[in-house]
Amino acid sequence: MKFRPLHDRVVVKRLDSEAKTKGGIIIPDTAKEKPQEGEIIAAGPGARDDHGKLVPLDVKKGDKVLFGKWSGTEVKIDGVDLLIMKESDIMGVIS
């Protein structure tokens, strides 16, 4: 991928959700909710504070993150569905 996000934006690839419930019921694609978990594919250098100093991001490429249901902008790059969002839209890093 040849895409570099600017400022405090990150590119996230959604992680696939389970196709079955714990009870073994298979969920069709039309009934599935979009996953709110993803992996950071690329991250910008950071935002600038009031004095012009660069504040680096807390997340990095490869981090597994949790984000809001309606967070980010959906884009397709090299045929892959991705999300571009600000770091502030990320709720946390999953370890």
Side-chain angles (χ1 to χ4, degrees):
M1 175 176 74
K2 295 187 192 255
F3 181 82
R4 182 179 56 93
L6 300 176
H7 308 295
D8 63 339
R9 289 183 175 79
V10 295
V11 179
V12 177
K13 181 179 181 183
R14 288 185 196 266
L15 297 178
D16 292 331
S17 60
E18 285 291 319
K20 283 192 213 177
T21 64
K22 290 181 183 180
I25 298 171
I26 297 173
I27 303 170
D29 288 338
T30 55
K32 283 186 195 176
E33 286 192 24
K34 290 184 179 180
Q36 295 173 296
E37 194 175 314
E39 179 180 356
I40 295 188
I41 303 299
R48 300 247 177 221
D49 65 10
D50 294 337
H51 305 289
K53 182 180 173 195
L54 186 67
V55 179
L57 300 179
D58 289 331
V59 295
K60 62 187 179 307
K61 182 179 178 179
D63 283 351
K64 304 261 188 290
V65 295
L66 189 66
F67 50 87
K69 187 180 279 192
W70 307 109
S71 298
T73 302
E74 294 182 355
V75 295
K76 188 174 270 202
I77 300 173
D78 293 337
V80 179
D81 290 325
L82 301 169
L83 286 169
I84 298 176
M85 64 180 72
K86 287 188 167 254
E87 183 188 33
S88 59
D89 291 338
I90 297 173
M91 291 187 244
V93 178
I94 301 168
S95 54

